[in-house]
Amino acid sequence: MDTMANIQGYISIFLIWLGTTILLKAIFTKTRSKFRLPPSPLALPIIGHFHLLLKPPLHLAIQKISSHYGPMIHMYLGSTPIVFVSSAEIAKEILKTLELCFSNRPANAAISYLTYNAADLAFAPYGTYWKFMKKLCMSELLNGKMLDQLFPIRQEEINRFIQMIQKKAEECDAFNVTDEVLKLTNSIVMRMAISKSCFVNTDEAHTVTERVKESAELSGKFNLADYFWFCKRFDLQGIGKKLKEVRDRFDSMIESIIQEHEDARKKLPTKKVAAAAKDVLDVLLNISEDQSSEIIITRDNIKGFLVDMFTGGTDTTAVTIEWSMAELINHPTIMEKAWKEIESVVGRDRIVVEQDIGNLPYLQAIVKETLRLHPPSPFILRESTENCTIAGYDIRAKTQVFINVWAIGRDPKHWDNPMEFKPERFLSKDIDSGKKSQVEVRGQHYQLLPFGSGRRGCPGTSLALNVAHTTLAAMIQCFEWKGSDGEEGSDNSVDMKEGPSFILSRAQPLICVPKPRLMPFPTMPF
């Protein structure tokens, strides 16, 4: 009897599943008769295509599906329609030809909450406020003048970083490149944003770093409420509770920092407040107090922008430096060639600085090649604001678009031997034009998009490149590097496996043994 009951139960479940499948297929068939959607694998009831994406990292799962269905595929994650793109030509159509249709970024529940309901720049809806903040960012917050003003800060932090490596090298100790480079980029951004250093204000800076780490982890978590409409009112995974705890801690910390700045400003004569701006927060406070401003930014806008700087300006730059070092250790001939270039331009009496980078084309090519193979974020995210047509397919409004930058950077249609680490490709003739390669990383060439493109391209590109180039150059100039398990004459290669996170970090920390290359050690600038 029990067996018969079990069989009847299984039959009931099967019939329910079959009925749901037929119903959904009928709905999708009706939809497809109105819209010519891109190719799509078979979806399951309720969950859509989630079963195809369970094994991280996401960019590899999508690339595997794209190899069968083509460079543009349509999928459902729960009830959310998503189009995945793995073609430079289609990316150009989205980011340039139809840019206005894709000027919004999709924000999940965690990002919206942590950015004070999209009061920041990165995820604010395209409109009057976003245009004002982008203009402000490019004219006052991260423009050339501001970067020049804050150049001594970046150099001081890099000096401290190099001195730390020197101490490790003298003691023959292993050096955790992953942790220390992240600490460096955190410190640079924190000093530029709020005048706090990881190396000086250790406890407070550690608190900022922890809050940023917590926020990033929650932003990247899979949340049922983002994809299943019937879960939106329920905190089934406890993520909503964690979000409130994290944002409350972050908010308390950032309020304290803002209050410090406001107290210091009150001690200055009114006419000298604006001129005394020493960091990005001071500039934001100046603008918020300017009643003649086109838009008066709120306290939440200030906090949201700082969240963008902390979360967007640290991990991405750090992983670029880390991947570059890993590739160079695995390619000692390229490392040696880079060192000789630096030596010929800078010499041995001082350490390389930002102003030298323009005269180091091979170093720049190394960073480009790293960004091609290991883009910090494997996807560019956009959301359609209206119905449109891409590559002959219909895309409905509110469809999320994931452009697979990682796959495009390895497309053999645009790159000879795409899996090979070959910086020389950026110094040789371009395969399309026959001219010296002018492929850049700022978004004007769609086969290389590490910082996005167009209106919503990364506003911190110049800062990220300055820090990555200068830090990497100093590490090459001052030290020889080998893997922590390497011995003289043995295989010195390091593992290049990628981690599962949305920021394309390494699976394992990069632990190296530095050896002083220059004796005596060169003079530190500043």
Side-chain angles (χ1 to χ4, degrees):
M1 292 294 292
D2 288 343
T3 303
M4 183 62 68
N6 287 337
I7 293 174
Q8 290 176 343
Y10 291 139
I11 291 174
S12 299
I13 292 172
F14 172 75
L15 291 175
I16 292 172
W17 175 83
L18 181 62
T20 305
T21 302
I22 294 171
L23 177 62
L24 287 175
K25 186 174 182 180
I27 293 173
F28 289 157
T29 301
K30 185 177 180 181
T31 300
R32 286 180 181 273
S33 66
K34 294 174 60 180
F35 292 95
R36 184 172 181 261
L37 299 177
S40 177
L42 177 66
L44 294 180
I46 310 298
I47 67 171
H49 296 93
F50 261 124
H51 62 294
L52 300 177
L53 308 175
L54 293 177
K55 187 177 180 181
L58 179 61
H59 61 277
L60 287 179
I62 293 302
Q63 180 62 9
K64 183 177 180 181
I65 298 170
S66 296
S67 66
H68 180 72
Y69 288 92
M72 187 173 177
I73 53 179
H74 185 274
M75 303 178 76
Y76 281 93
L77 301 190
S79 55
T80 303
I82 298 181
V83 168
F84 292 95
V85 171
S86 303
S87 156
E89 292 76 18
I90 299 175
K92 182 177 181 179
E93 193 172 347
I94 293 167
L95 298 173
K96 184 177 181 181
T97 309
L98 296 171
E99 183 180 15
L100 284 177
C101 293
F102 293 93
S103 290
N104 277 346
R105 281 182 175 168
N108 59 34
I111 289 173
S112 296
Y113 191 71
L114 293 170
T115 57
Y116 298 85
N117 196 26
D120 64 333
L121 172 65
F123 292 93
Y126 182 74
T128 303
Y129 165 75
W130 181 87
K131 291 177 184 177
F132 173 79
M133 286 300 294
K134 180 64 181 287
K135 180 180 176 182
L136 180 66
C137 187
M138 304 314 294
S139 64
E140 296 191 49
L141 297 174
L142 292 175
N143 67 336
K145 182 180 177 181
M146 190 66 169
L147 292 181
D148 288 344
Q149 177 184 328
L150 298 174
F151 160 68
I153 285 175
R154 297 192 295 278
Q155 193 61 57
E156 284 179 23
E157 294 299 327
I158 292 174
N159 288 350
R160 287 195 184 101
F161 176 72
I162 295 300
Q163 287 171 339
M164 182 196 311
I165 301 176
Q166 174 68 5
K167 184 177 179 181
K168 289 284 186 180
E170 290 174 351
E171 297 171 353
C172 299
D173 283 347
F175 184 75
N176 189 322
V177 175
T178 302
D179 287 352
E180 297 303 333
V181 169
L182 181 57
K183 188 175 179 180
L184 169 67
T185 56
N186 269 327
S187 198
I188 288 173
V189 170
M190 284 169 57
R191 282 195 68 185
M192 293 179 64
I194 58 175
S195 299
K196 305 285 183 183
S197 171
C198 284
F199 297 100
V200 178
N201 309 87
T202 308
D203 292 338
E204 194 167 19
H206 177 72
T207 301
V208 175
T209 303
E210 284 301 306
R211 296 296 87 83
V212 171
K213 184 178 178 181
E214 291 172 343
S215 300
E217 287 177 353
L218 280 173
S219 299
K221 274 185 177 292
F222 165 65
N223 188 350
L224 291 169
D226 290 326
Y227 301 103
F228 299 98
W229 60 268
F230 51 84
C231 294
K232 291 188 183 298
R233 295 190 178 185
F234 306 98
D235 188 18
L236 298 177
Q237 300 160 272
I239 291 177
K241 181 181 178 181
K242 293 176 185 175
L243 277 173
K244 186 176 186 311
E245 293 173 353
V246 168
R247 204 187 81 166
D248 284 351
R249 288 197 293 266
F250 187 92
D251 191 75
S252 176
M253 175 201 70
I254 210 67
E255 273 290 345
S256 174
I257 293 169
I258 293 174
Q259 190 63 54
E260 281 182 19
H261 278 63
E262 289 176 332
D263 291 343
R265 291 160 66 86
K266 289 176 183 176
K267 297 176 182 178
L268 296 171
T270 304
K271 293 182 179 180
K272 292 186 178 181
V273 171
K278 64 182 184 298
D279 55 34
V280 170
L281 177 52
D282 278 326
V283 177
L284 288 168
L285 289 171
N286 286 343
I287 296 162
S288 71
E289 294 165 2
D290 181 6
Q291 296 304 311
S292 64
S293 176
E294 177 187 347
I295 288 180
I296 304 299
I297 61 174
T298 67
R299 208 171 188 82
D300 281 354
N301 295 143
I302 293 174
K303 294 175 185 176
F305 190 85
L306 293 177
V307 169
D308 285 350
M309 284 197 71
F310 293 151
T311 56
T314 54
D315 284 14
T316 51
T317 306
V319 298
T320 298
I321 298 169
E322 183 185 357
W323 278 116
S324 296
M325 282 302 304
E327 289 285 7
L328 290 173
I329 290 171
N330 284 350
H331 298 86
T333 302
I334 296 175
M335 174 91 81
E336 188 68 13
K337 187 174 178 179
W339 178 73
K340 288 180 178 178
E341 178 186 62
I342 297 168
E343 183 186 36
S344 67
V345 172
V346 179
R348 299 188 173 205
D349 297 327
R350 66 177 178 86
I351 291 181
V352 63
V353 294
E354 283 182 14
Q355 290 80 355
D356 296 313
I357 301 305
N359 298 317
L360 301 172
Y362 194 64
L363 176 81
Q364 294 178 56
I366 288 171
V367 172
K368 286 182 183 180
E369 182 72 339
T370 301
L371 290 168
R372 180 185 72 83
L373 286 171
H374 312 286
S377 178
F379 292 102
I380 295 173
L381 274 57
R382 293 290 189 270
E383 185 175 76
S384 57
T385 55
E386 57 186 78
N387 293 345
C388 59
T389 302
I390 301 174
Y393 293 107
D394 296 317
I395 305 298
R396 290 167 291 180
K398 289 294 186 182
T399 297
Q400 295 183 15
V401 175
F402 284 45
I403 299 174
N404 194 340
V405 176
W406 180 91
I408 292 173
R410 296 167 183 243
D411 188 345
K413 186 162 58 174
H414 294 286
W415 307 100
D416 292 329
N417 301 317
M419 303 307 292
E420 180 184 357
F421 185 76
K422 185 181 178 183
E424 288 78 8
R425 74 176 75 245
F426 291 102
L427 302 174
S428 60
K429 289 189 175 182
D430 183 76
I431 58 175
D432 294 326
S433 66
K435 299 177 182 178
K436 189 173 181 178
S437 176
Q438 298 297 317
V439 177
E440 293 296 340
V441 296
R442 296 175 182 272
Q444 63 270 53
H445 298 101
Y446 297 88
Q447 66 268 43
L448 190 64
L449 292 166
F451 298 102
S453 181
R455 289 174 174 84
R456 300 216 76 141
C458 175
T461 299
S462 293
L463 172 61
L465 290 174
N466 283 345
V467 173
H469 283 135
T470 311
T471 304
L472 182 63
M475 294 173 75
I476 295 169
Q477 179 193 18
C478 299
F479 307 99
E480 296 177 9
W481 295 87
K482 66 178 182 179
S484 61
D485 296 328
E487 297 178 358
E488 293 295 333
S490 68
D491 180 10
N492 192 34
S493 63
V494 296
D495 179 40
M496 301 299 283
K497 187 177 179 181
E498 298 170 348
S501 65
F502 209 71
I503 295 295
L504 197 55
S505 57
R506 290 167 43 80
Q508 300 295 330
L510 180 61
I511 312 294
C512 299
V513 178
K515 179 181 178 182
R517 192 190 286 271
L518 304 177
M519 300 297 287
F521 200 69
T523 303
M524 288 284 185
F526 303 97

